[in-house]
Amino acid sequence: MFGFIIGLIAVYFMFGNRNLKELTPGMLKMDQLAGQAIHYSDTATCQMKCESINVQEVKDAMTDAKIDSKRSKDFNQRFPMYNFTGSTRQGRKLNIICVEIDSVTRVVMVHDLARKDTCKCP
């Protein structure tokens, strides 16, 4: 028992301060999507302009996001669609929908959850 406790303490000191967000498949996928080239649809660009959301906030939200698997499309399709909610450094919560096309992340929709959707975007 004493050796087990010593082992736990050693593991804590070796791995306790690392950012271990790569533990779940969803977090790994979000890191992959944020690292690819990002293109924005006309609708996403219009929504970002209307709600004063910049490109850096979208990237922040992607790196701190949780994929909503019920509202996302099949991950095994050729072009899977991901619906996720993430937070920016400024504390805004964004809902983003994107499609992964080969090695490009295409952002289709961006919405600030704290604001009422009043944008008239195509």
Side-chain angles (χ1 to χ4, degrees):
M1 188 63 151
F2 181 70
F4 179 72
I5 293 171
I6 296 289
L8 286 177
I9 292 170
V11 167
Y12 173 76
F13 283 111
M14 287 191 312
F15 300 108
N17 294 331
R18 290 189 183 169
N19 184 7
L20 296 177
K21 68 181 258 180
E22 292 87 23
L23 292 177
T24 65
M27 290 177 178
L28 286 171
K29 179 48 84 175
M30 291 310 305
D31 282 344
Q32 178 187 0
L33 290 173
Q36 296 176 357
I38 299 175
H39 296 188
Y40 297 89
S41 70
D42 292 339
T43 303
T45 304
C46 174
Q47 290 172 327
M48 289 169 64
K49 186 176 181 182
C50 178
E51 296 185 14
S52 300
I53 300 170
N54 62 39
V55 174
Q56 186 57 45
E57 288 178 307
V58 172
K59 277 202 160 207
D60 289 346
M62 289 178 93
T63 56
D64 180 42
K66 183 171 192 253
I67 295 176
D68 185 351
S69 57
K70 292 180 183 175
R71 293 176 20 192
S72 297
K73 297 292 183 204
D74 188 11
F75 301 126
N76 297 320
Q77 289 180 331
R78 181 165 181 219
F79 303 123
M81 183 191 77
Y82 301 98
N83 188 329
F84 57 90
T85 303
S87 299
T88 66
R89 291 180 186 158
Q90 293 81 16
R92 296 172 77 174
K93 284 201 159 286
L94 302 179
N95 178 248
I96 300 171
I97 299 175
C98 67
V99 178
E100 184 178 19
I101 302 172
D102 299 326
S103 62
V104 174
T105 302
R106 179 144 176 93
V107 176
V108 179
M109 195 270 317
V110 179
H111 176 62
D112 186 349
L113 294 175
R115 297 183 67 171
K116 193 173 186 176
D117 190 10
T118 58
C119 298
K120 303 288 189 243
C121 295

